[in-house]
Amino acid sequence: MKIFSGIQPTGAKHLGNYSGGFRQYAATQEQGDAFFCIVDLHSVTVPHDPEDLRTRTLDLAALMFATGLDPERSTVFVQSHVTAHAEAAWLLGCVATIGELRRMTQFKDKAGTRESVSVGLFTYPVLMAGDILLYQTDIVPIGDDQRQHLELSRDIAERFNSRFGKTFTVPRGVYPEAGARIMDLQEPGNKMSTTGGNPQGTIYLLDPPEAVRKKVKTAVTDSGREVVHDTNEKAGISNLIEIMTVATGESITEVESRYESAGYGQFKSDVGDAVVELLAPIQARYHELRDDSAELERMLTHGATKAREASAPTLEKMYERMGFTRPKGE
Ligand code: AMP
Ligand code: TRP
């Protein structure tokens, strides 16, 4: 089984990224041949600071290893180190249609508020489809916000296969049962997010314990008293229940029954403690790894070599099936 996922090296990573991303990466790497990609090419689709991109790429690599990715088992690499990704994006961009890209809600949300929108922001899902398809991926562990992009990748794969002959495995998205969409603690109607969110409602993975406890304690909840999961009527409490499941590994029902006779105050205080406990070893390991940039760069170079080898045959097949002549080895 082939596993692939990507994560952007921009913005401080938060508990939503842990739930839909990191935690699933570490779990799925046990199931087969896994590739995890730091998608730096995706991060330049909105205005960015070059120095920041360089630093954050290494920050993210450290966080990926700190949350449990094993460099011996998984291939962890940077997208721009493997040129097949940019090439695949061009070829697939001639298979995807403007109509389907226009329907992407993330593009509409991100483009809506900007005066100037890059072509890259529009074609971003095509780059993502290439990422996935180059590795003959079976499963893609992601959060709910990437569902539409994943469906588009499947459509593109099927269209390419029927037009040019079977070339790609059609991938399947894997979403966590609880915590596929962690919400902002201050605005439980919106997902927790680096770009659109409220910093007081966003638990960053590198937040100190006191900040985590305070954010959870001041989370917006309804005026009821029961700790029960009901996303329509009790968005805030439901979100905290899901956060508790992420931190402890319990199910939603287990959390509900544990707090059957407790009030919101006790529950919130325990959620804060559970998140602090989850993050403490991750933060310690992160700082250890981040202090040795040369070692991180070495690990990423090794990952890029493996990813180049794994993606080359599919890229070659794409060119051949589409009718390109190929240079012969000299
Ligand atoms: P990004 O940082 O945008 O590259 O996202 C990395 C991963 O985190 C993707 O799989 C997203 O689907 C996931 N993710 C982002 N925000 C959330 C959220 N609020 N809840 C759950 N998963 C999320
Ligand atoms: N678009 C994804 C996000 O913003 C990141 C991403 C890029 C990705 N390529 C991918 C995720 C391939 C899964 C598979 O979160």
Side-chain angles (χ1 to χ4, degrees):
M1 168 128 96
K2 298 270 182 57
I3 301 134
F4 185 99
S5 196
I7 178 162
Q8 296 198 47
T10 29
K13 295 300 162 191
H14 51 74
L15 200 63
N17 296 128
Y18 179 76
S19 181
F22 301 109
R23 149 178 95 122
Q24 292 210 94
Y25 307 159
T28 49
Q29 75 178 339
E30 310 292 333
Q31 299 170 21
D33 200 4
F35 295 84
F36 299 106
C37 183
I38 298 177
V39 294
D40 54 353
L41 298 173
H42 278 97
S43 290
V44 299
T45 54
V46 292
H48 79 287
D49 173 33
E51 201 41 57
D52 206 43
L53 179 61
R54 248 188 294 276
T55 318
R56 289 199 182 270
T57 299
L58 291 182
D59 292 349
L60 181 55
L63 205 46
M64 290 169 90
F65 295 120
T67 47
L69 285 185
D70 173 356
E72 296 303 319
R73 186 184 292 248
S74 297
T75 302
V76 178
F77 70 104
V78 179
Q79 190 182 31
S80 66
H81 295 184
V82 181
T83 53
H85 291 251
E87 292 177 71
W90 176 261
L91 300 180
L92 296 178
C94 298
V95 174
T97 68
I98 290 190
E100 59 195 352
L101 288 177
R102 268 209 198 112
R103 286 197 288 274
M104 296 294 114
T105 53
Q106 185 173 304
F107 173 74
K108 287 191 256 185
D109 292 347
K110 283 198 180 177
T113 53
R114 292 174 195 273
E115 253 176 46
S116 161
V117 176
S118 76
V119 174
L121 188 66
F122 186 61
T123 57
Y124 165 124
V126 176
L127 179 61
M128 173 164 165
D131 297 341
I132 299 168
L133 301 180
L134 275 173
Y135 297 86
Q136 302 294 342
T137 302
D138 298 290
I139 62 165
V140 184
I142 37 176
D144 200 52
D145 61 328
Q146 296 302 315
R147 198 179 280 272
Q148 202 186 19
H149 292 159
L150 196 273
E151 290 307 314
L152 178 68
S153 301
R154 291 166 55 89
D155 291 345
I156 293 175
E158 279 167 359
R159 192 172 312 141
F160 191 105
N161 284 347
S162 74
R163 206 173 276 176
F164 301 112
K166 174 131 182 32
T167 307
F168 301 124
T169 303
V170 180
R172 183 167 61 81
V174 170
Y175 309 88
E177 262 174 48
R181 183 174 288 258
I182 297 290
M183 308 308 272
D184 190 294
L185 300 178
Q186 289 297 320
E187 300 158 14
N190 299 325
K191 69 170 182 180
M192 190 175 282
S193 141
T194 322
T195 41
N198 177 332
Q200 278 321 108
T202 307
I203 301 176
Y204 298 103
L205 297 182
L206 300 178
D207 267 346
E210 277 329 300
V212 171
R213 289 201 180 90
K214 179 155 177 243
K215 286 176 184 179
V216 176
K217 204 162 282 176
T218 54
V220 170
T221 47
D222 57 279
S223 56
R225 321 176 30 111
E226 318 245 292
V227 180
V228 289
H229 193 268
D230 175 348
T231 42
N232 291 328
E233 301 294 325
K234 296 163 90 72
I237 282 294
S238 302
N239 190 38
L240 290 176
I241 293 175
E242 295 201 30
I243 288 175
M244 189 63 135
T245 71
V246 171
T248 64
E250 290 165 295
S251 67
I252 290 177
T253 1
E254 281 167 339
V255 176
E256 284 172 337
S257 62
R258 191 146 68 87
Y259 288 94
E260 213 178 308
S261 50
Y264 285 179
Q266 182 62 46
F267 177 56
K268 280 178 159 180
S269 154
D270 287 2
V271 171
D273 288 345
V275 174
V276 167
E277 208 172 300
L278 168 76
L279 297 183
I282 294 175
Q283 295 181 353
R285 180 98 185 96
Y286 168 83
H287 290 297
E288 215 174 276
L289 288 158
R290 189 63 188 89
D291 282 345
D292 192 350
S293 297
E295 173 62 7
L296 281 175
E297 281 169 2
R298 195 197 59 74
M299 287 157 90
L300 294 174
T301 305
H302 176 63
T305 305
K306 290 204 284 178
R308 256 182 236 120
E309 280 168 14
S311 57
T314 301
L315 183 68
E316 198 51 37
K317 226 189 257 178
M318 291 168 74
Y319 279 124
E320 280 171 8
R321 297 269 158 85
M322 290 180 88
F324 290 91
T325 57
R326 301 302 289 150
K328 299 294 170 216
E330 284 168 68

